[in-house]
Amino acid sequence: MEFGLSNEQWMLENSLRGLLEEKLSLERLRKVAEIGSGFDATLWEGLVAQGIVGLLVPERFGGSGLALLDAAVVAESLGYHVAPAPFPASVVMAPLALMSAGSEAQQAKWLPKIASGEVRISVAFAGGVGQTGEASVQLDGDQISGLLTGALDAGAASHVLVFLPDGRAALVDAHEMGVAIEMRGSLDRTRPVSSYELNDARAIILDAANDARVVAARVADAGRVVLAADTLGAAQSMFDRALAYSKERVQFNRVIGSFQGVKHTLADLVTMLEPCRALVWYAAHAQDAVPEEARILALQAKAHLGEVGREIARLTTEMHGGMGFTDLLGLHYWFKRVAFNRQMLGAPEHCRQEAAAVQGWLTV
Amino acid sequence: MDLAYGPKYRALQEEVRGFVRSHGHLSPRTGGGRKRPDKRALAWQHLLLQHGYFARNIPKEYGGFGLPLDVMELAIIADEFSSAGVSPGIMNQGISMLVPTLLEVGSKEQCAKWVGPTIRGEVIWCQGYSEPGSGSDLAAAKTHARVEDGHFIINGQKIWTSSAHFADMMFLLCRTETEKGKHGGLSYLLVPMSAPGIDVRPLVTMTGRAEFNETFLTDVRVPIDQIVMRRGDGWHVANVTLKYERLLLGDPNKLTYRLARVIELMKKTSLEGVPTIQIPEYRDRLLRIQGEVLASKFHGLRLLSEQAKGEESGVRRLIVKLNGTMIAYRLSSLAVDVLGAAGLPYEPKGEALEDDEATTWQIDNMYDIGLIIGGGSSNIQRNIIGERGLGLPREPTADIKLGPKE
Ligand SMILES: Cc1cc2nc3c(=O)[nH]c(=O)nc-3n(C[C@H](O)[C@H](O)[C@H](O)COP(=O)(O)OP(=O)(O)OC[C@H]3O[C@@H](n4cnc5c(N)ncnc54)[C@H](O)[C@@H]3O)c2cc1C
C-alpha cells in the first residue's frame, strides 16, 4: 500500500517539466498570449512526442492507456508553467467521453486521431455544469442548432463535443457548414473564451452509454479534477516565486522574508497549499478506482483549489510589491490562470452546492 | 498510488467492521485525554490492544501488536472507528508523545519499562516543559537539577502542566549543565509524581475546570538513570517529543471524526423549522470545511506513506499542527453557531462525559484555542515552518534589557 506517486509518475512529471522549461520562456509565453488561442504548435508537437496527448487513450488505439491520476500530474505541471495547451477538454474530457459513450466503431475512428494530436476536440456543456452564460441547443435527427458559451479549449480545435441537456454527447466538426465560432478576448491569455453558434450542423451522437447523465457527470468531474490540478501547479509556481523573492528583496537592510509579516504569510500559504496536492491526487485516483467517493472528491477538490488558489494568487502578488502588479514580471499570467480555472466547470459555490446534493443535504 | 483494496485489506475491513458492530457499545464516549481513564476506557483499551487496533506497530516485547507499519491498515482502522463514532482508544501525552519518543531515542530498558503500562492506560504522564518565564522560548527553562550521590536533585517551577493532578509520571525538561549554554545545558528526565517535594496546584482554565496546574519542585530526587539519552541532550529529546505532540494536535483523524459529529448535529438542529444542514449559509460553511478536512486527511496518508518508506517529509510535516488546530477550531465554531442561542446555557458537570451537548461544544470550542496556544503557538509554528521548512532567515534577536527605564 502506498499513498503517493509511482516512480513512473515522477518520471513523467520530470520529462514534461523539462519540455516546458525548454519550450516556454516568458517571451514565448507573451507571444502566444498575444494571439490568445491557447495553443502553441511547437509545444503541442512536444506533448505529442512525449505521449501526453494520448495519455488516456487505450494502447490498442495508439495511446498510453494511463489513468486520470497521470493526467492530474501532467495538469499540475502545465499549470506550473501556465502552458497554453488544450489539455483539459482535448486530452482528458473528450477522449473520456468517447471511451465511456462512444461505440466501438466511433472509438476506433476517433481515439487514434486524438492520440496522434491530429484531432483536437473542444468540449461545451449545454446546461448542468455551472455555466453562467447562455446554453440552448436542439437536436433534430443528426442536426444540431443553438448557442454554446464557455466552450473549453476551442482556440485551435478541429471539433467540438457538445453535451446535451439529457447527458448525451454530440460530436461536431468545427469547420463544417453551420458552425460559427466566436472568440472573445479572454482574461486568461493562455486559454481562450469562445462560443459556438450552430445552425443545423451535422452531429455524430455518442449514445452507447447505459446512462448518459452519469457519463456527462463523469466527464465534467474529470475536467474539474484536471482544472484543480492545474490551479495547484499555478499556485505552487506563484508560491515558489514569492518565496524566492522574499529571500532576495532587501528593505530596511533586511531581506523581506525575515519580517514575520512576510514569513508568516508564506507559512500560512504553504500550510494551505501542501495538503491540496494529496487532495488532488486522491480525487484523481478516485475517479478511476473509488466510484463511491468520486463525485464528492472531484467537486470538493475543484472548490477547495479554487479558494486556495485565489488566496495564494492574491498574497503572492502582494508580496512582490509594485513589481507584482506590473505586466513586466508576468506573474499576472498565473493570477489569471487561477482565476479562469476557478470559474470554469462550476465556481466553488456551485461545486459545493452540488457536493451537498450528492450527500443528500439538498432537498429544498 | 497503490490503494487497491486487495483481499488482505478487505478482510481487515470486514474484521474491524465486525468488531465495531459487536463491541462498539462498549466504547467510552471520547478518548479521555483530559482525565484518568475510567474502568470502561481501560477495558476498551485492553480490547483494542488485544485485537491490534491500537499500538499495532509497537513491538510485541513492549506490549504492542508487533506488525510492520502499513498505512492502509491504519487508515482502514481509523476510518471504521471514526465513521462508527466509537473511540479509537486513549490519546494522552504519555501514549502519543512519550511512547514514540522512547521508541525513537530511549534505551531498550526504558522502552521495556514504560511503553507497555503507558499504552495500556495504567501509567499516566504529564509534560513538564513550560515555566512562568519560558513558554514559546522553551529552551530558556530555568528549572535545574544537580547531581548528588547517584541522583538528580531538581528545583524549580513548571506551569500549565496538563493532567499533573492525576498523572503518575512527568517527563521534565530542566537545566543540568550550567556551563553549556541555553540549548546544550538541558536534560530530559522521567520523574515520578509521587516523589517527595512535588507540589501540584490546580489552575482553573477558561472552561471553568481545572485542567492544568502549577507544579513546584523542591529538592525532588530521581535516580541518575531516569534520563532519556545523555545529559545535555534534553533539547534534542524535547524536540522529538514536540514533533509527536504537533502531529497529535493536528491529527486529521480527529478532524474526520469531528466533521462527522458536526454533520450529525446539523441534521438534527433546525432554525425556524428548517434543518441547519439545509440552510445554505451554514451548509456552505460545512462544505468549505469538509474540503479542508479531506485535504488534511489525504495529506496525513501521504505523510504516513513517506514515514513507512523512511522518506523525509520536511515542510509537509511541519504544517500539520498549524493546519489541524485551525480547522478543528473552525469546526467547533460552526457547531456553536449551529446551536445558536440554544447553545448558551453552559453547565459543566463534575465529569466531562456527563456534560450536555451544548456545553460539550462550547468547551471544545474554547479548548481548541488552548490547543492553538499549547505545543508551540500558531505563531511559533509559522516561525518553524518559515525558518526550518522554507529556509527563511531567523528573526534577528533584539537583546532588550529588561528592567526599569532610566
Ligand atoms: C490548554 C493548554 C495546555 C497546556 N499543556 C501544557 C503541558 O501539559 N505542559 C507544558 O509544559 N505546557 C503546557 N502548555 C503551555 C504551552 O506550551 C504554552 O502556553 C505555549 O508554549 C506558549 O507559551 P506562553 O504561555 O508562555 O506564551 P508566550 O510564549 O508568552 O506567548 C504569548 C504570545 O506571544 C506570541 N509569541 C511568542 N514568541 C513569539 C515569536 N517569536 N514570534 C511571534 N509570536 C510570538 C505567542 O504566539 C503568543 O501568542 C499548555 C497550554 C495550554 C493553553
Side-chain angles (χ1 to χ4, degrees):
Chain A
M1 135 77 211
E2 197 177 318
F3 189 99
L5 299 186
S6 65
N7 285 338
E8 290 75 21
Q9 282 158 339
W10 287 120
M11 275 158 54
L12 172 70
E13 175 174 291
N14 244 328
S15 57
L16 175 56
R17 296 263 169 140
L19 175 77
L20 291 165
E21 258 151 48
E22 184 200 319
K23 300 271 188 229
L24 212 58
S25 63
L26 186 57
E27 299 79 74
R28 176 77 196 163
L29 184 65
R30 280 187 199 286
K31 282 214 182 79
V32 184
E34 227 161 85
I35 303 162
S37 64
F39 185 74
D40 175 343
T42 332
L43 177 62
W44 185 252
E45 271 168 34
L47 295 175
V48 172
Q50 288 204 353
I52 282 169
V53 168
L55 192 96
L56 293 185
V57 172
E59 280 168 293
R60 66 192 173 103
F61 294 128
S64 323
L66 294 177
L68 200 68
L69 178 56
D70 303 280
V73 170
V74 168
E76 185 185 341
S77 295
L78 295 175
Y80 196 91
H81 292 270
V82 291
F87 185 78
S90 305
V91 177
V92 175
M93 298 165 77
L96 189 64
L98 273 154
M99 285 152 61
S100 319
S103 66
E104 180 66 22
Q106 287 169 332
Q107 295 192 39
K109 175 162 183 203
W110 296 103
L111 289 174
K113 290 184 183 159
I114 290 177
S116 70
E118 177 193 338
V119 159
R120 286 182 296 273
I121 304 177
S122 164
V123 171
F125 286 85
V129 290
Q131 308 88 326
T132 45
E134 285 173 71
S136 61
V137 291
Q138 303 87 39
L139 191 68
D140 182 8
D142 69 345
Q143 303 218 308
I144 188 167
S145 302
L147 180 69
L148 289 158
T149 56
L152 258 174
D153 291 347
S158 57
H159 294 72
V160 55
L161 187 68
V162 182
F163 275 91
L164 303 166
D166 66 9
R168 283 180 307 158
L171 187 62
V172 178
D173 188 327
H175 305 303
E176 275 233 14
M177 291 274 293
V179 181
I181 183 167
E182 188 196 4
M183 301 262 281
R184 308 279 309 270
S186 171
L187 171 73
D188 174 6
R189 300 298 297 165
T190 67
R191 300 259 191 72
V193 173
S194 334
S195 38
Y196 285 100
E197 207 185 315
L198 307 174
N199 280 309
D200 291 335
R202 213 162 55 81
I204 300 159
I205 310 295
L206 313 181
D207 58 5
N210 286 333
D211 188 336
R213 279 176 207 279
V214 170
V215 172
R218 238 185 84 118
V219 169
D221 283 347
R224 288 172 175 135
V225 170
V226 163
L227 289 180
D230 192 275
T231 293
L232 173 65
Q236 182 70 54
S237 172
M238 294 186 91
F239 175 83
D240 290 350
R241 290 178 69 175
L243 177 61
Y245 190 67
S246 80
K247 293 178 181 176
E248 220 173 82
R249 170 73 175 166
V250 173
Q251 288 289 281
F252 302 97
N253 293 319
R254 291 161 61 177
V255 292
I256 57 170
S258 70
F259 294 113
Q260 270 197 347
V262 174
K263 184 187 292 178
H264 286 191
T265 301
L266 285 164
D268 283 334
L269 295 187
V270 75
T271 301
M272 266 179 232
L273 183 58
E274 199 51 62
C276 288
R277 188 158 289 110
L279 177 63
V280 165
W281 288 351
Y282 189 78
H285 173 73
Q287 303 309 306
D288 289 318
V290 199
E292 67 277 17
E293 293 179 52
R295 295 236 57 212
I296 293 177
L297 275 150
L299 293 160
Q300 281 287 18
K302 175 70 170 62
H304 187 58
L305 267 293
E307 305 291 9
V308 170
R310 167 176 279 179
E311 203 63 2
I312 290 187
R314 169 174 74 90
L315 287 163
T316 54
T317 299
E318 198 177 310
M319 216 169 274
H320 281 84
M323 186 55 93
F325 201 66
T326 61
D327 171 51
L328 184 71
L329 189 69
L331 200 64
H332 64 91
Y333 289 116
W334 280 258
F335 184 100
K336 292 164 184 169
R337 179 97 158 197
V338 167
F340 181 98
N341 289 347
R342 182 181 164 102
Q343 309 304 344
M344 266 293 157
L345 298 180
E349 290 75 10
H350 174 92
C351 289
R352 288 195 292 268
Q353 179 87 339
E354 199 165 326
V358 171
Q359 294 174 90
W361 301 340
L362 202 92
T363 55
V364 281
Chain B
M1 193 75 67
D2 171 16
L3 301 177
Y5 260 39
K8 173 182 143 196
Y9 294 121
R10 268 200 301 274
L12 177 68
Q13 191 178 41
E14 270 316 299
E15 176 201 310
V16 181
R17 220 167 259 181
F19 172 85
V20 166
R21 217 180 299 123
S22 57
H23 294 78
H25 62 284
L26 298 173
S27 162
R29 222 179 85 197
T30 66
R34 288 177 219 162
K35 66 180 188 68
R36 203 173 176 100
D38 57 12
K39 266 197 187 142
R40 191 182 170 92
L42 287 175
W44 180 247
Q45 186 75 358
H46 181 73
L47 213 54
L48 299 190
L49 285 166
Q50 251 181 352
H51 286 82
Y53 302 149
F54 198 89
R56 191 174 181 82
N57 311 121
I58 289 179
K60 270 212 162 81
E61 67 261 40
Y62 302 147
F65 205 64
L67 289 180
L69 178 59
D70 180 327
V71 190
M72 191 67 159
E73 290 186 354
L74 297 184
I76 288 171
I77 296 169
D79 252 19
E80 292 302 321
F81 276 66
S82 68
S83 54
V86 301
S87 159
I90 300 172
M91 279 220 240
N92 61 29
Q93 295 181 321
I95 289 174
S96 308
M97 293 152 57
L98 179 77
V99 164
T101 302
L102 289 181
L103 290 170
E104 186 170 327
V105 297
S107 68
K108 276 207 170 86
E109 294 71 32
Q110 285 167 339
C111 290
K113 181 166 177 190
W114 296 116
V115 172
T118 304
I119 59 179
R120 288 194 294 274
E122 295 156 14
V123 171
I124 304 297
W125 293 79
C126 62
Q127 176 185 36
Y129 277 20
S130 305
E131 299 183 7
S134 58
S136 299
D137 189 9
L138 180 61
K142 285 206 184 77
T143 296
H144 61 92
R146 64 174 197 279
V147 177
E148 222 175 80
D149 58 45
H151 285 74
F152 287 110
I153 316 289
I154 310 163
N155 279 284
Q157 184 197 344
K158 294 292 169 182
I159 197 166
W160 324 130
T161 339
S162 302
S163 316
H165 48 303
F166 59 79
D168 307 293
M169 295 288 298
M170 169 187 275
F171 46 95
L172 171 90
L173 187 66
C174 65
R175 198 157 291 287
T176 56
E177 319 302 301
T178 35
E179 73 295 347
K180 276 208 193 146
K182 186 173 173 181
H183 296 85
L186 298 167
S187 293
Y188 188 105
L189 309 182
L190 307 179
V191 182
M193 293 301 283
S194 57
I198 295 188
D199 180 14
V200 176
R201 298 182 199 163
L203 287 168
V204 177
T205 73
M206 69 187 288
T207 69
R209 288 208 173 95
E211 282 140 335
F212 52 30
N213 306 271
E214 291 177 289
T215 309
F216 296 88
L217 302 107
T218 314
D219 290 333
V220 176
R221 292 168 67 89
V222 297
I224 199 146
D225 61 355
Q226 294 284 74
I227 182 170
V228 181
M229 294 187 76
R230 286 161 315 184
R231 289 171 58 171
D233 289 338
W235 182 244
H236 175 70
V237 183
N239 273 290
V240 172
T241 304
L242 281 171
K243 172 175 79 179
Y244 293 111
E245 174 168 19
R246 288 164 186 163
L247 291 174
L248 164 73
L249 292 173
D251 183 8
N253 289 323
K254 178 179 147 183
L255 300 177
T256 305
Y257 179 60
R258 181 172 285 185
L259 176 71
R261 274 175 64 205
V262 176
I263 292 169
E264 280 317 304
L265 181 72
M266 290 180 66
K267 284 180 179 167
K268 69 182 190 205
T269 47
S270 58
L271 192 69
E272 295 178 351
V274 183
T276 39
I277 202 156
Q278 300 285 355
I279 300 173
E281 290 76 7
Y282 292 105
R283 186 177 57 216
D284 196 58
R285 274 175 71 186
L286 174 70
L287 284 152
R288 274 193 85 145
I289 306 177
Q290 184 181 47
E292 294 168 5
V293 172
L294 286 170
S296 309
K297 171 180 165 179
F298 298 115
H299 184 69
L301 288 181
R302 182 181 182 195
L303 287 180
L304 280 171
S305 245
E306 287 172 343
Q307 187 194 333
K309 282 191 288 180
E311 287 175 8
E312 259 306 314
S313 299
V315 74
R316 285 193 288 284
R317 174 169 62 71
L318 300 178
I319 65 174
V320 168
K321 196 229 163 196
L322 178 63
N323 180 59
T325 51
M326 281 311 301
I327 297 174
Y329 172 73
R330 279 208 288 280
L331 273 165
S332 60
S333 300
L334 175 57
V336 161
D337 290 349
V338 159
L339 289 163
L344 295 178
Y346 184 71
E347 294 160 340
K349 300 282 171 8
E351 279 270 1
L353 291 180
E354 289 163 9
D355 290 343
D356 60 72
E357 187 166 34
T359 302
T360 300
W361 278 117
Q362 297 289 2
I363 289 182
D364 279 349
N365 190 228
M366 286 185 267
Y367 217 87
D368 286 339
I369 300 173
L371 299 184
I372 284 171
I373 299 167
S377 69
S378 283
N379 272 351
I380 296 304
Q381 300 310 307
R382 293 185 181 101
N383 281 348
I384 292 172
I385 293 165
E387 290 163 13
R388 291 190 215 155
L390 301 175
L392 292 166
R394 289 184 61 90
E395 280 295 287
T397 41
D399 281 318
I400 296 169
K401 299 257 183 307
L402 296 175
K405 274 204 181 125
E406 292 293 306

